[in-house]
C-alpha cells in the first residue's frame, strides 16, 4: 500500500513535473537572451507568438517583462493594451511609456526607463488584434474585419493559451490595463474574463480589476467633453465649437458622419500644428510624416496614442532583423513592415459600441476594482469627456475631488467613488507614463494597492 | 523790422529753450545713473515722483526705460500698469515681466531681460494709485479710499504733469497697456484721455490705443469663464463647480458676497498648492509667505499678478537703501516698507464697475486700437472669461480664430475682430512676459504695428 501510494504520488509528481516542464520548455524558447543595444538587467523577459485561431493562422505577439525589485513569483500579472484601433502595445506602452526601456534616438540602442511598471508587477504587453504590430493572420480578410468583439475574444483565447505556456501565472492576481481606444479593449476583455469565470472556483485568470487612461468610454460624453476642452483651452473658434456641438454630439467616435467629419477637420485646422496628444509640449519636427499627419487632419481627433518622434525610433528599431530575431518576432515572414499603427485595421474597424458604461456597471456590481486616469493636457481623449462619462454612472462619492501630491507638488486630482477611482495627472498628455513617468508609476502602484492617491500628509513612498 | 523779427524769434527760441531747459533739468534730476548690481546698458532711464495732489501730498512714482535698438526720439511712449488692486508696476511689470532687467535670486544684482519691451518702445511704469509700491500720500485716509475713479484721475494728472517734465514725449504716439486688474485701469484711463482730448487739435497725450492681458473685463463673463476653466482643467469638483455657478455668477469680483466667498474658498482648497497664476509650473517653495497665501485662500481668486519667488527678490531689492537712492524713491521716508502688493489698498477698494465693455464700445467707435491678450495657463483671470467678455461685444470678425507661429511652433491663437484683436499665448500664465518672454515681445511688437499675429507663411522677424 505504501509502495502503491508512493507510486501514485510519483506519477502525480511526474505528471505535474512534465506538464510544467513542457510548459517551461515552450516558455524557455520565448526567453529573450538580450535585445540589440540593451543595457544589462536583473529580470527575465519573454516574447513570441500564441496562436488564437489555428485554422485561420492567427497569432498574437506578446512581450512579458517580469517584475524586478519585487519577487516576480508573488507580484501580480498585469496586461497592458494600447488603442488605435490598430496601434501596437509593444510600440507604445512597452517602448515609450511603461516598459523597461526607452528606444534611443539612434533607433539602435536602448536605455533604462527609470520608472518602469515592472518595478511592482509582471507586465505583459499584447499586440492586439491580429494585424497590429508583430501580430498577424494568414487569412488576409482578418485585417479588414477587425472589431471590438473579435478583439476581445482573440485576446481572451490568447490569455488562456498563454497561461498554458506560463502556468506559474495561473490563479495569480491579474489586472487588465490600457489607454485610449484601450478604453474599449480593457473593459470588454475584463467582462469576458469575468463572465467566463462565473461559477469557477479557482479560475486561472484571477481577475481583480482594470485600469484605463485617457480612455474612450462613452461616445456621447466623450464628444461633449472634447468640444468643451478644445474651446476652454483656446484651440478652436467659437463658431466651430458651436458647429461641433450641433453636428457631432451624437456621432459614433469611430465612424462619424461626413458632415461631422468636415467640422472635425475645420477644428483640426484651427488647432494648428500642435501635438494634440500633449498640447503644451513642442512638436517633433524631425519628420515629414508627422507634419503630413497633422496637416492632413484626418486622424488627430481619434485616439491613436503616438508621439511622432519616439514612434519613429520604434519604427526603425522593430524593423531591424536582429531585433526581430531577439524577440522571436516575424517568424513567418509577414508581407509588410512593422508599423506602430496599422492603417487598414483602423480604417475597416467594424463594431464599436457607443458606450462602455454598461460594462462598468456590471463589473462595479461584481466588486472588481476599477480605476480611470487622465492626463489633463491631452486634447484627443480629454479630461472633461472622462469626467462626464464617469458622472453618468451616478456613483456615490467616498472622497470628493482633492489634489494629490508627489514630492510636495500637486501631481493631479483624485475622486474616490464607490466602485471606481478617478485620477488625473497634471500636465500629462495622452500617454501619461511618457509625459509624467514618475507620476505614472506612482498611480500604478496605488492602483495595485487599491489605495487612494496621497494627500500631503500621506508620506508613503516606495520608490 | 529785420532786427525786430530776429528779436522776436530769439525771444521765442529763448522761451522754448528755457521751457525745455527747465523741463530737462527736472528730468535730468530723475536720471538713473546706475542701479545697484546693474549690468551696463546703452539706453537712458529715469525715475522719481510726480505730484498729483499737492494739498493732500499725493505723489506717484514712475520709472521710464527709454527705447534701445530703435531711436527713442521716434519710438512710441507706452504706459504699463499692473493690477491687484494694490500691486506695483515696478515690482511686477518692470522687474519680472517686460522691463530691461530681472532681479537675481541674490536680491542684490540684476541681469538683462533678453526680451524687454523697450526694444521697440519707450516704456513708462507707473505705481498706481498712491499707496502702491513707492507711490505715497501724506493723507493717510487716501490709502483707505482708493478706487477705480480716483485711480484713473490721479493717473491722468500724473501723465499731464509728467509730460511737462518730459516735453519731448508730447504728441508722441501713446499707448496704455497692462494686465490683470489693469484691465480696469487701462480702459478707464484711456477713456479719460480720449474724452479730455475731444476737440483738441494736437493733444499732448496722443492716445493711439490700448492693450490688456489676462484682464478683468466684465465680472459676469469673467466669473462664468473662470468656473468653466477650473472645471475643464480638472482643478475643482463637480459639486463646487455647480455651487460656484449658482452662487457667484452675478457677484462683483472685488467684493463678492460672504456666501460666494465661502465657495471660492472651497474651490481654492480643492485646487491644492498649485500656482493658480500658472497652473502647470512648479510652485515656489522658498517661502512660508507663499504657502500661507495659498492655503489661506482669500485672494488667489482675485487678480493679484505675482510670482511668489520673484516677488521675494523684488521685496528685498526695493527695500535696499542704495536702490531707493539710485531710483530717487522714498525721498519722504514712507512709514512702511516697500511691498509688491498693498493689503489696505486691496482690502478697502471702493468703486469697481462690473463691466469695462461700455468703454470698449466707446473707444472702438472712436477708432482706437484695442488688443486683448491672454496666457492660457492662468486660472485667475482665465481665457474663457476673456472669450465670453469679448463675445459679448458682438463685433464682426475679420479673421477667424487661427494658430499663430513663432519659430515654427504655435505661439497661441488669434482672432481679428473689427475694432479689436484677441491673442492667446500658449502655455503662458497670468504674467505672460514672465512665462513666455519671447512670445510676449512678439505680441507687443505686432500690437504696435497693428499687424495680426503671424501665420506660418508670415516670416517677418525683427528680433
Amino acid at each position: 500500500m505504501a509502495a502503491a501510494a508512493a507510486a501514485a504520488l510519483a506519477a502525480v509528481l511526474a505528471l505535474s513535473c512534465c506538464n510544467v516542464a513542457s510548459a517551461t520548455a515552450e516558455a524557455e524558447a520565448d526567453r529573450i537572451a538580450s535585445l540589440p543595444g540593451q543595457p544589462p538587467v536583473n529580470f527575465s523577459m519573454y516574447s513570441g507568438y500564441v496562436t488564437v485561431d489555428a485554422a485561420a493562422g492567427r497569432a498574437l505577439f506578446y512581450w512579458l517583462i517580469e517584475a524586478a525589485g519585487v519577487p516576480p513569483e508573488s507580484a501580480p500579472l498585469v496586461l497592458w493594451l494600447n488603442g488605435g484601433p490598430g496601434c501596437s502595445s509593444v510600440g507604445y506602452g512597452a517602448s515609450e511609456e511603461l516598459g523597461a526601456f526607452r528606444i534611443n534616438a539612434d533607433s539602435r540602442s536602448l536605455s533604462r526607463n527609470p520608472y518602469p511598471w515592472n518595478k511592482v508587477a509582471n507586465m505583459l504587453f499584447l499586440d492586439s488584434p491580429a494585424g497590429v504590430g508583430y501580430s498577424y493572420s494568414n487569412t488576409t480578410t482578418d485585417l479588414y474585419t477587425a472589431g471590438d468583439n473579435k478583439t476581445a475574444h482573440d485576446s481572451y483565447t490568447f490569455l488562456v493559451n498563454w497561461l498554458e505556456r506560463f502556468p506559474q501565472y495561473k490563479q495569480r492576481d491579474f489586472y487588465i490595463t490600457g489607454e485610449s481606444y484601450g478604453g474599449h479593449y480593457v473593459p470588454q476583455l475584463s467582462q469576458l474574463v469575468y463572465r467566463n469565470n462565473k461559477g469557477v472556483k479557482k479560475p486561472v485568470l484571477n481577475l481583480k480589476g482594470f485600469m484605463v487612461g485617457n480612455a474612450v468610454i462613452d461616445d456621447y460624453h466623450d464628444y461633449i467633453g472634447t468640444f468643451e476642452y478644445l474651446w476652454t483651452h483656446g484651440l478652436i473658434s467659437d463658431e466651430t465649437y458651436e458647429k461641433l456641438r450641433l453636428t457631432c454630439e451624437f456621432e459614433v467616435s469611430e465612424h462619424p458622419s461626413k458632415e461631422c467629419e468636415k467640422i472635425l477637420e475645420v477644428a483640426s485646422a484651427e488647432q494648428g500644428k500642435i501635438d494634440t496628444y500633449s498640447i503644451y509640449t513642442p512638436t517633433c519636427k524631425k519628420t515629414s510624416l508627422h507634419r503630413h499627419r497633422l496637416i492632413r487632419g484626418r486622424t488627430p481627433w481619434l485616439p491613436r496614442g503616438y508621439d511622432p518622434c519616439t514612434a519613429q525610433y520604434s519604427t526603425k528599431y522593430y524593423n531591424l532583423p536582429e531585433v526581430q530575431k531577439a524577440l522571436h518576432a516575424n517568424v513567418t515572414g509577414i508581407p509588410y513592415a512593422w508599423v506602430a499603427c496599422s492603417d487598414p485595421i483602423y480604417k475597416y474597424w467594424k463594431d464599436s459600441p457607443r458606450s462602455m458604461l454598461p460594462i462598468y456597471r456590471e463589473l462595479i456590481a461584481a466588486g472588481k476594482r476599477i480605476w480611470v486616469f487622465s492626463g489633463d493636457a491631452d486634447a484627443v481623449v480629454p479630461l472633461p469627456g472622462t469626467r462626464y462619462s464617469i458622472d453618468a454612472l451616478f456613483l456615490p462619492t467616498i472622497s470628493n475631488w482633492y489634489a494629490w501630491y508627489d514630492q510636495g507638488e500637486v501631481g493631479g486630482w483624485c475622486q474616490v467613488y464607490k466602485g471606481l477611482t478617478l485620477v488625473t495627472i497634471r500636465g500629462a498628455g495622452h500617454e501619461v507614463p511618457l509625459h509624467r513617468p514618475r507620476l505614472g508609476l506612482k498611480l500604478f502602484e496605488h492602483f495595485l494597492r487599491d489605495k487612494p492617491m496621497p494627500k500631503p500628509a500621506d508620506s508613503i513612498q516606495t520608490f
Side-chain angles (χ1 to χ4, degrees), chain A:
Chain A
M1 288 286 272
L9 183 64
V12 167
L13 283 173
L15 193 71
S16 146
C17 141
C18 289
N19 272 350
V20 171
S22 87
T24 304
E26 250 192 305
E28 270 311 317
D30 280 359
R31 183 185 284 276
I32 300 172
S34 178
L35 290 170
Q38 176 206 306
V41 295
N42 60 346
F43 49 84
S44 297
M45 301 191 292
Y46 303 85
S47 63
Y49 287 99
V50 171
T51 298
V52 294
D53 186 327
R58 221 157 57 238
L60 299 187
F61 183 81
Y62 79 91
W63 182 1
L64 173 70
I65 304 179
E66 287 197 324
V70 290
E73 57 278 12
S74 61
L77 175 67
V78 178
L79 179 70
W80 174 268
L81 297 169
N82 278 94
C87 297
S88 161
S89 303
V90 167
Y92 291 103
S95 303
E96 56 186 53
E97 298 190 76
L98 49 127
F101 311 109
R102 300 272 161 104
I103 303 169
N104 296 332
D106 62 8
S107 304
R108 297 198 155 267
S109 63
L110 307 174
S111 46
R112 295 289 295 264
N113 168 10
Y115 301 105
W117 287 16
N118 75 319
K119 274 203 175 172
V120 286
N122 298 285
M123 296 304 307
L124 179 58
F125 299 90
L126 176 65
D127 275 350
S128 167
V132 169
Y134 290 129
S135 293
Y136 67 88
S137 177
N138 295 332
T139 307
T140 313
T141 52
D142 275 344
L143 305 187
Y144 302 91
T145 55
D148 278 21
N149 190 44
K150 203 166 137 188
T151 300
H153 281 87
D154 271 7
S155 301
Y156 183 79
T157 306
F158 161 82
L159 286 172
V160 170
N161 294 348
W162 183 87
L163 280 178
E164 292 307 310
R165 202 175 297 175
F166 293 88
Q168 67 272 32
Y169 285 110
K170 285 182 180 179
Q171 288 146 18
R172 185 77 59 90
D173 282 1
F174 175 56
Y175 300 91
I176 307 180
T177 61
E179 81 187 12
S180 195
Y181 198 76
H184 272 215
Y185 302 155
V186 170
Q188 285 166 338
L189 181 57
S190 298
Q191 185 189 44
L192 204 55
V193 172
Y194 164 69
R195 288 185 173 178
N196 286 343
N197 280 350
K198 268 189 181 169
V200 180
K201 254 198 176 164
K202 280 194 170 181
V204 294
L205 281 166
N206 182 16
L207 180 73
K208 292 288 181 185
F210 74 75
M211 179 166 77
V212 289
N214 292 76
V216 179
I217 297 176
D218 178 280
D219 286 357
Y220 171 76
H221 291 103
D222 282 343
Y223 264 134
I224 297 287
T226 301
F227 306 151
E228 198 168 328
Y229 186 93
L230 295 175
W231 189 80
T232 57
H233 286 69
L235 273 55
I236 58 168
S237 66
D238 300 345
E239 198 186 321
T240 299
Y241 182 31
E242 194 58 30
K243 282 187 186 163
L244 282 170
R245 286 191 292 188
L246 285 171
T247 316
C248 297
E249 206 171 280
F250 297 101
E251 299 287 328
V252 182
S253 71
E254 287 315 288
H255 301 293
S257 67
K258 286 256 172 283
E259 258 194 318
C260 165
E261 244 182 17
K262 245 187 223 169
I263 299 161
L264 293 176
E265 271 170 38
V266 172
S268 176
E270 284 177 353
Q271 288 169 48
K273 289 181 212 156
I274 60 165
D275 181 351
T276 47
Y277 295 93
S278 175
I279 63 174
Y280 300 112
T281 55
T283 54
C284 172
K285 295 210 195 71
K286 284 184 187 163
T287 169
S288 60
L289 168 77
H290 171 236
R291 299 212 153 193
H292 176 62
R293 288 209 175 203
L294 283 179
I295 289 164
R296 190 177 50 171
R298 186 180 69 87
T299 56
W301 273 84
L302 294 159
R304 302 179 67 129
Y306 64 81
D307 171 89
C309 280
T310 50
Q312 272 177 75
Y313 314 150
S314 62
T315 304
K316 280 194 192 163
Y317 189 77
Y318 290 118
N319 278 304
L320 295 176
E322 62 270 30
V323 170
Q324 300 189 346
K325 196 177 167 202
L327 281 171
H328 326 109
N330 193 16
V331 287
T332 58
I334 301 169
Y336 44 83
W338 185 95
V339 287
C341 292
S342 157
D343 273 339
I345 292 285
Y346 171 73
K347 195 174 168 189
Y348 296 100
W349 197 257
K350 302 293 171 199
D351 55 309
S352 175
R354 282 180 185 223
S355 183
M356 294 297 108
L357 294 180
I359 304 182
Y360 279 68
R361 285 190 199 100
E362 180 178 342
L363 296 185
I364 287 169
K368 297 301 170 196
R369 185 183 312 164
I370 300 182
W371 281 43
V372 176
F373 66 92
S374 176
D376 60 19
D378 172 27
V380 177
V381 190
L383 176 58
T386 298
R387 295 187 81 174
Y388 281 130
S389 295
I390 301 303
D391 285 348
L393 287 168
F394 297 105
L395 301 170
T397 289
I398 289 169
S399 294
N400 199 23
W401 202 258
Y402 67 90
W404 64 270
Y405 287 79
D406 176 62
Q407 299 185 315
E409 287 286 342
V410 171
W413 286 261
C414 178
Q415 176 142 352
V416 183
Y417 297 93
K418 197 165 182 304
L420 187 148
T421 295
L422 173 59
V423 179
T424 76
I425 296 88
R426 181 162 71 121
H430 193 68
E431 296 174 77
V432 166
L434 166 63
H435 299 293
R436 293 285 183 275
R438 188 188 155 80
L439 301 184
L441 178 53
K442 192 149 197 164
L443 161 78
F444 183 53
E445 196 193 28
H446 281 74
F447 163 69
L448 289 181
R449 297 180 178 197
D450 200 19
K451 204 174 145 41
M453 299 306 288
K455 295 181 182 180
D458 311 341
S459 58
I460 291 148
Q461 190 76 33
T462 57
F463 57 85

